[in-house]
Amino acid sequence: MTVPAPYEGEARASAAGDSGAHEGILRRQSARESAARTYARSLPIVPVRARGLTIEGADGRRYLDCLSGAGTLALGHNHPVVLEAIRKVLDSGAPLHVLDLATPVKDAFTTELFGTLPPAFADRARIQFCGPAGTDAVEAALKLVRTATGRSGLLAFTGAYHGMTAGALEASGGAQDVRVTRLPYPQDYRCPFGIGGPRGAELAARWTASLLDDTKSGVPRPAGMILEPVQGEGGVLPAPDAWLRRMRSITEERSIPLIADEVQTGVGRTGTFWAVEHSGVVPDVMVLSKAIGGSLPLAVIVYRDDLDVWRPGAHAGTFRGNQLAMAAGAATLAYVREHGLAARAAELGARMLGQLHSLAKEFPCVGEVRGRGLMIGVELVDPGATETIPPSGSAATAGATPTDRADDPLLGASAAPLPAAPHLAAAVRDACLDRGLIVELGGRHSSVVRLLPPLTITDEQAAAVVDRLADAIAAVARTAQA
Ligand code: PMP
């Protein structure tokens, strides 16, 4: 793989680019596409070629892509093994669409997938192929546990993101649904109890247990608990392993199925093949999508066989048999496994986090740097703010000025989070783009700059990513101070 060129050279339009076509396509997109479009608003790019970490736009500009299809591209763009697997199916004359019928391609995908799962889970696992998006697999998981338990309520977490269809949306943090009981997700910087660390996580666990055991809590015994082992869209919040084990024992002791949504954390991303492996937790249901399709749409749930009591057709859909996605996905899973890319993500992610931590010390507008493996977030805050922002932390900190915090008898100055700074995060994202680096924003206030590079990223590329991000933050910090 080639070492990236200095960003000045890459981000400048090259002679090969056609900036007229680029502008025209962008203009037509904004005239014709929905107001609900998302990434297209903040990333005025028209990708025409891509390989690994690099995307080339119609205007000839080249970018390092740390958005990676919102974490989909475990092997980056157009990896040779993925292209070969797709070509093999196309050349074989195999049917491309067969609903949920058995095919050799599907058989091979399922075997490869089961081979990667924790053995204690795989030994008794069933798989349901769902409609092609992660959100459909979330719907299937909710339906499965509701059918199996005969109960309807759901436990879900603050800041969660599970998708955009009705049930998945209900389970996500932005929703206000009576069937969903919202529990505190542990986090250090904006700990709802104001203390963070293992003690903050333990208080979150105790709150969960007490809600379930208090006969007057107003929370009926739920059908299941759904959680992300690392909240991605919620702002890159890794759940402490001890807390995850507490969620497992709390649910197990009360016969509540535990659903791990590994749509974004799966396939090596966090440093183990599946993120639940860090804690040793064996969930009852796993929701999988994104990377399992090797860049094509594919979503499944895998679950313990005794939950398999729903009726034929209970969760159907025309597009449950994407042969190309299964072939691309099987090739991706095998490549990640054979090349130890989960361990590589752990090692490289720790190095990048270490380098980024020094940014937090250097720039007061960096509130926290956090992550697990190659799922990394940098939270931008407003060090001089006196304005109130919508509260996301404890009542004690919401809207408080830095001086108030220093006087806070409960928190002290060091533990106090500063107000989120979405405008600075957006400025950093734009400054990254100017430097030829594509990043995403996430978090409660869109104040977290997120990195989700492919697991195949080289040391040199990782260094270039950190350099460009650091340079972008420095530039934004300079203007913010001016
Ligand atoms: N769960 C998680 C954890 C996700 O991150 C996402 C997408 N970002 C989804 C579910 C929904 O997946 P999709 O966008 O494919 O519906």
Side-chain angles (χ1 to χ4, degrees), residues 39 69-72 132-138 160-165 168 172 226-234 261-265 287 289-290 298-299 375 440 450:
Y39 304 107
T72 302
T135 197
D136 191 60
V138 171
Y161 185 82
H162 299 291
M164 281 283 159
T165 49
S172 300
I226 184 165
L227 56 77
E228 298 153 86
V230 180
Q231 282 191 349
E233 308 302 323
D261 179 344
E262 291 243 25
V263 166
Q264 195 166 133
T265 50
V287 183
S289 188
K290 290 199 195 270
L298 188 62
M375 201 167 171
E440 190 192 8
R450 301 181 60 206

Side-chain angles (χ1 to χ4, degrees), residues 155 183-184 202-215 217 221 225 243 246-247 249-251 253-254 256:
L155 303 176
L183 299 167
E202 175 56 22
L203 288 181
R206 287 188 194 184
W207 175 246
T208 301
S210 82
L211 267 188
L212 292 169
D213 295 342
D214 178 351
T215 51
S217 68
R221 176 67 44 99
M225 171 188 282
W243 175 84
R246 290 277 276 128
M247 291 306 105
S249 56
I250 286 170
T251 48
E253 284 157 11
R254 294 160 183 81
I256 300 167

Side-chain angles (χ1 to χ4, degrees), residues 168-189:
L169 201 55
E170 275 167 26
S172 300
Q176 296 173 356
D177 188 88
V178 287
R179 287 206 300 178
V180 174
T181 301
R182 192 71 50 197
L183 299 167
Y185 193 86
Q187 48 180 316
D188 288 342
Y189 190 60

Side-chain angles (χ1 to χ4, degrees), residues 15-87:
D18 180 345
S19 54
H22 161 94
E23 293 298 334
I25 290 168
L26 289 179
R27 209 175 35 249
R28 286 191 290 282
Q29 180 184 47
S30 77
R32 298 193 294 213
E33 287 190 25
S34 156
R37 67 193 188 283
T38 54
Y39 304 107
R41 289 180 182 278
S42 49
L43 301 171
I45 300 169
V46 181
V48 288
R49 256 182 300 277
R51 184 76 164 207
L53 180 68
T54 307
I55 280 189
E56 190 182 319
D59 58 356
R61 288 187 177 197
R62 294 175 71 217
Y63 300 88
L64 303 183
D65 179 13
C66 281
L67 174 53
S68 297
T72 302
L73 305 170
L75 305 185
H77 292 276
N78 296 353
H79 193 281
V81 300
V82 170
L83 297 184
E84 190 192 315
I86 293 172
R87 280 198 195 99

